[in-house]
Amino acid sequence: MAKVFAFAEQRGGEIRSAAREAVTAAAKVAGGLGTEVKALVVGGPGAASSAGELGRFGAAGIEVVEHEALSDYQPEAYARVVAGRVRAGDYGVVVLPATTLGRDLAPRVAALLDVPLAGDVTELDVVDGALTVIRPVYSGKAFAQVRVDAAPALVSIRPNVFQPTDAPGAGIVEVVATEVETSWARTRVVERKAAEGGALDVSEATIIVSGGRGMKDPSNWPLLEALRDAIGDGVALGASRAVVDAGWRPHGEQVGQTGKTVAPKLYVAVGISGAIQHLAGMRTSGTIVAINKDPDAPIFNVADYGIIGDLFEVVPRLTDAVAALRASG
Amino acid sequence: MTLDVIVCVKRVPDTETRIRIDEASAAMDPTGVKFIMSPYDEYAVEAALRTKEAAGAGEVGLLTFGEESSQETLRSGLAMGADRATLLIGHPTQDGLVTAKALAAELAGADTPLVLFGVKAADDDQQQVGPMTATLLDRPCVTGVTSFELAGDAVLCHREVEGGVEVVEVELPAVLTITKGTYDPRYASLKGIMAAKKKPLETKPAAAGASRIVVERLSYPPARAPGRIVGEGPEAAAELVRLLREEAKVL
Ligand SMILES: Cc1cc2nc3c(=O)[nH]c(=O)nc-3n(C[C@H](O)[C@H](O)[C@H](O)COP(=O)(O)OP(=O)(O)OC[C@H]3O[C@@H](n4cnc5c(N)ncnc54)[C@H](O)[C@@H]3O)c2cc1C
Ligand SMILES: Nc1ncnc2c1ncn2[C@@H]1O[C@H](COP(=O)(O)O)[C@@H](O)[C@H]1O
C-alpha cells in the first residue's frame, strides 16, 4: 500500500509547528487508507537532532537529508531534494505545509513530479479509499471539495488548522545520503532583516490581536501591544489594510485578501469594520472577538463574541482582566 | 538597461462580489458578476510598467489563459500601459499545472528575460502557477516580491518572509511573483483606454491538458454559530475574558 509522505519544516535545526501539523494531517489520511506515514526533514548539518519527536504525531519513519547547502531554505535545491525523496518511495499522498516556505516549495515539487497540487486545504478525508480535500476559494466565500486525480496526490495544508495530535508512531530516524549540487541553488539571499523586535509573524501565531482604522493613530498601538503581552506567548499583532495603506503598520502584519490568510485559535479584531476582503483572511479562525463602537459593523456577523464600545476604554480593561487571569494562574 | 517583461494575468470575479453557487455544475454562477484583473496581477502590471519607464525602453506584454471573455482583462492591462497581449484560449481550472503548462509553452518561445506573476489569483487562491511555470521553464523564481530593482544581469528582490524581510538576488532570465508592496496600480487614463483598442491582442488556442483537480462540490462556507454580544462598554471586558477562558477555552 502506497504510504503517505509529510514534509516536515524545520528552521535552524528546530522542528516547526507546521511540521507537527503536516505529520498529524498525514497520519489522519494514512489512518483512512490503512497505511503509514513517512516524514522528511531537510536542512543543514544537525537537522536530524530533533527529528525524532515527529514519531509522537504518527510518523513511522523520518528521513533526514542534511547538507551544508541546505542550511537555509533554497527554493530550487529544496524542491529537487523533496521531489527526489518522493520519487524514491511509493507514496499515494504527499502533505506539505502552506506556510510561506511551503507555498514557495510545493508548486515547484508538483511541477518536478508532474502532478497537480491542491493548495491551502483546510480539510482532508479519505472516502472510499480516495483522498478528498476542502479548499476555500473566492477568498473564503465558497468551499470547494476537490479530488486530486494523480498519484501521488499533493496537498498543502493551511497552518494552524490541523492541530498536532499525539498518535505515537515508530518514529525511526534515518539519515539519507543525498547528492546536492551547489549549482542547484539559483537565488541568493543577500540580506535578511528580522521584524522589529523579533516580533512573531501573524501566519505563525496561535493568537492574533489586530488593529484597524478605529485605532485612530499609529501612536495608539501600545494599547494593542499591552494586550498582546498580557496574553503571553504565541501572540502576534495584525492589521487591516486601511492602517497598512496609511503607513501606520508594516504590510507583513496585514490580514486579508491582499495580506495574509490566518487561522489562529483566537482572533481579536479591534476597530476593524470587517470588510469582505478582511474577512477573507481570517474567517477560518477558531474563535473571533470583535471590539467596535458601531453595532452594525459587519465584523459582528462573524464574531463569536463582541463588545460594542469605544476601544480606547474597552481594550485597557480587557488587558487588565487578562493580566488578572494570568496572575491567578 | 532595457528589458522586455511579460506579465501573466487572470480574469477573476470582483473581490466585492457576492458569490452565488450553481450546485448542479459545482461552479460559481457568473450571471451578473463583474470581472476584474486579479488584484495581485495589477501590482505585477504596475511593476512591469515602472520597470519599462525607468529604462525608457522595452516592451510590456500580457499573457493569459482563459476564455474569450479574458480579452476584456487584457484590454484593461493595455489601457494601463502595456504594449501587447496574448490570449491562450482554454478553460480555466483549479489545476494550476494545466495553466502553468499552457503559459510555459508560450513563454518558452518568447525568450523574455523577466516574467511576472501575481502571488495568487483572487478566485482559486492556489498560489502556485508562478513557481510551477518557472520550474517547467527551468528558470529561477522568487515569490512574494514587494519590490525589485534591476542590477546588471540580475534582479534584487525584496520579499516578506515569516518574521522579517529578505533581499534576494537572482540572475536573469527569471520569474517573480508579486505581492502587495510598493506597486500601487495606476488607473487607466481615458487616453490609455482609447489607445488600448488599437494595441495588438493575439488570440490562439492553448496547449492545455486535462485538469486532474476535479471539483466535486462547491458550497457556502459553514455558517459560523451565531455570535454573541457580550456587552456594551468597558464593563463587558471581564465577562469576555471569562467566556474566552471557560467557554471557548482559548486563554
Ligand atoms: C482588492 C482589494 C483588496 C483588499 N484587501 C484587503 C486586505 O487584505 N485586508 C484588509 O483588511 N482590507 C482589504 N481591503 C480593504 C477593505 O475593503 C477595507 O477598506 C478595510 O479592511 C477597512 O479597514 P478597517 O476595518 O481598519 O477600516 P474601516 O472600514 O474604516 O473601519 C474602522 C472601524 O473602526 C470602528 N471604530 C472607529 N473608532 C472606534 C473606536 N473608538 N472604538 C471602537 N471602534 C471604533 C468603526 O466603527 C469601524 O467599524 C481590500 C480592498 C480591495 C478593493
Ligand atoms: N489562467 C491564467 N492565465 C494567466 N495567468 C494566470 C492564470 N492563472 C493564474 N495565473 C497567474 O498565476 C498567479 C497565481 O495564480 P494561482 O496559482 O492560481 O493563485 C496569478 O496571479 C497570475 O499571475
Side-chain angles (χ1 to χ4, degrees):
Chain A
M1 181 77 205
K3 292 181 187 169
V4 179
F5 180 99
F7 176 77
E9 187 174 336
Q10 62 82 33
R11 199 185 289 167
E14 228 175 275
I15 296 295
R16 301 183 67 77
S17 65
R20 295 177 204 110
E21 292 171 20
V23 173
T24 295
K28 182 181 177 206
V29 173
L33 294 172
T35 182
E36 57 181 35
V37 175
K38 189 93 156 238
L40 172 68
V41 178
V42 179
S49 58
S50 59
E53 74 153 279
L54 293 171
R56 233 181 78 202
F57 306 99
I62 301 144
E63 292 187 353
V64 182
V65 173
E66 293 181 340
H67 196 284
E68 289 287 352
L70 302 172
S71 294
D72 288 324
Y73 175 61
Q74 238 315 319
E76 283 81 11
Y78 267 55
R80 286 197 194 217
V81 169
V82 175
R85 293 320 305 163
V86 173
R87 270 196 214 102
D90 173 24
Y91 298 107
V93 177
V94 173
V95 180
L96 301 109
T99 50
T100 303
L101 183 153
R103 285 173 202 250
D104 183 275
L105 174 67
R108 302 174 196 258
V109 173
L112 290 174
L113 295 173
D114 193 21
V115 291
L117 164 69
D120 202 23
V121 313
T122 54
E123 277 178 55
L124 284 168
D125 257 311
V126 176
V127 181
D128 300 331
L131 179 74
T132 61
V133 308
I134 303 279
R135 303 191 53 245
V137 291
Y138 302 111
S139 321
K141 287 186 245 179
F143 278 29
Q145 177 186 315
V146 306
R147 201 177 68 233
V148 187
D149 268 343
L154 253 61
V155 297
S156 70
I157 56 167
R158 179 170 293 186
N160 281 326
V161 172
F162 296 86
Q163 289 307 321
T165 329
D166 271 337
I172 296 160
V173 177
E174 175 198 359
V175 177
V176 189
T178 307
E179 292 289 332
V180 179
E181 312 215 357
T182 39
S183 65
W184 289 359
R186 312 214 8 219
T187 60
R188 200 165 64 87
V189 177
V190 290
E191 197 182 336
R192 217 176 241 131
K193 286 179 251 175
E196 234 175 285
L200 186 69
D201 191 84
V202 280
S203 60
E204 297 183 288
T206 53
I207 297 182
I208 296 173
V209 175
S210 243
R213 185 143 49 197
M215 291 292 294
K216 298 255 172 352
D217 195 88
S219 66
N220 293 324
W221 248 260
L223 219 56
L224 298 185
E225 284 160 10
L227 178 57
R228 173 195 63 188
D229 295 344
I231 299 173
D233 292 336
V235 191
L237 292 182
S240 73
R241 172 163 163 182
V243 308
V244 172
D245 282 356
W248 298 358
R249 303 300 301 174
H251 179 246
E253 290 182 3
Q254 185 182 317
V255 171
Q257 175 129 35
T258 41
K260 289 183 177 132
T261 305
V262 298
K265 67 175 184 185
L266 174 62
Y267 187 89
V268 184
V270 181
I272 293 178
S273 60
I276 189 82
Q277 297 92 352
H278 189 79
L279 302 186
M282 44 64 78
R283 71 194 312 160
T284 55
S285 302
T287 298
I288 297 172
V289 168
I291 298 167
N292 199 302
K293 67 176 183 190
D294 173 8
D296 295 325
I299 191 74
F300 287 122
N301 298 335
V302 299
D304 300 284
Y305 304 106
I307 294 183
I308 301 169
D310 184 349
L311 69 91
F312 295 101
E313 294 170 13
V314 176
V315 174
R317 289 285 282 276
L318 191 58
T319 304
D320 290 346
V322 171
L325 177 77
R326 287 283 179 260
S328 71
Chain B
M1 170 182 180
T2 62
L3 174 105
D4 291 344
V5 186
I6 289 183
V7 189
C8 294
V9 300
K10 188 179 188 190
R11 176 180 187 264
V12 302
D14 189 337
T15 57
E16 300 277 357
T17 303
R18 165 160 293 144
I19 299 294
R20 264 174 296 115
I21 292 168
D22 178 38
E23 297 269 350
S25 61
M28 185 203 68
D29 175 1
T31 322
V33 172
K34 181 183 165 212
F35 284 83
I36 57 166
M37 181 187 291
S38 187
Y40 290 105
D41 302 355
E42 285 193 327
Y43 296 126
V45 172
E46 178 64 33
L49 293 173
R50 288 196 205 170
T51 304
K52 174 182 159 174
E53 285 158 4
E59 270 216 326
V60 174
L62 304 175
L63 177 63
T64 195
F65 164 66
E67 285 157 353
E68 289 283 352
S69 50
S70 293
Q71 289 202 22
E72 189 192 358
T73 315
L74 294 175
R75 289 281 175 215
S76 69
L78 293 172
M80 283 174 74
D83 299 292
R84 59 193 165 77
T86 306
L87 167 58
L88 307 171
I89 298 278
H91 293 291
T93 153
Q94 272 197 45
D95 185 345
L97 196 55
V98 169
T99 311
K101 284 182 180 174
L103 299 176
E106 177 68 16
L107 291 165
D111 209 25
T112 307
L114 189 60
V115 180
L116 304 183
F117 287 80
V119 74
K120 73 175 166 190
D123 52 355
D124 294 338
D125 292 340
Q126 284 278 41
Q127 214 162 323
Q128 55 179 225
V129 173
M132 276 178 173
T133 307
T135 306
L136 294 172
L137 292 169
D138 194 25
R139 291 191 191 177
C141 172
V142 182
T143 60
V145 173
T146 51
S147 69
F148 65 85
E149 301 117 49
L150 297 176
D153 289 338
V155 192
L156 282 178
C157 307
H158 300 256
R159 69 186 290 261
E160 282 173 359
V161 293
E162 282 146 355
V165 290
E166 303 183 326
V167 184
V168 179
E169 186 184 56
V170 62
E171 305 243 309
L172 294 170
V175 173
L176 315 183
T177 76
I178 307 295
T179 191
K180 182 168 177 275
T182 47
Y183 302 115
D184 265 345
R186 66 193 67 190
Y187 288 103
S189 63
L190 190 60
K191 198 170 140 226
I193 295 168
M194 296 312 288
K197 294 184 178 151
K198 296 194 204 88
K199 290 180 178 171
L201 193 162
E202 186 189 2
T203 296
K204 52 181 165 183
S211 170
R212 287 181 286 171
I213 290 196
V214 182
V215 181
E216 295 177 319
R217 220 166 86 83
L218 194 65
S219 52
Y220 296 104
R224 293 187 73 94
R228 163 152 36 130
I229 298 297
V230 178
E232 297 196 12
E235 280 65 46
E239 174 63 0
L240 173 62
V241 169
R242 189 190 69 78
L243 289 167
L244 291 176
R245 171 72 158 213
E246 290 169 16
E247 194 175 85
K249 299 189 167 59
V250 290
L251 278 186

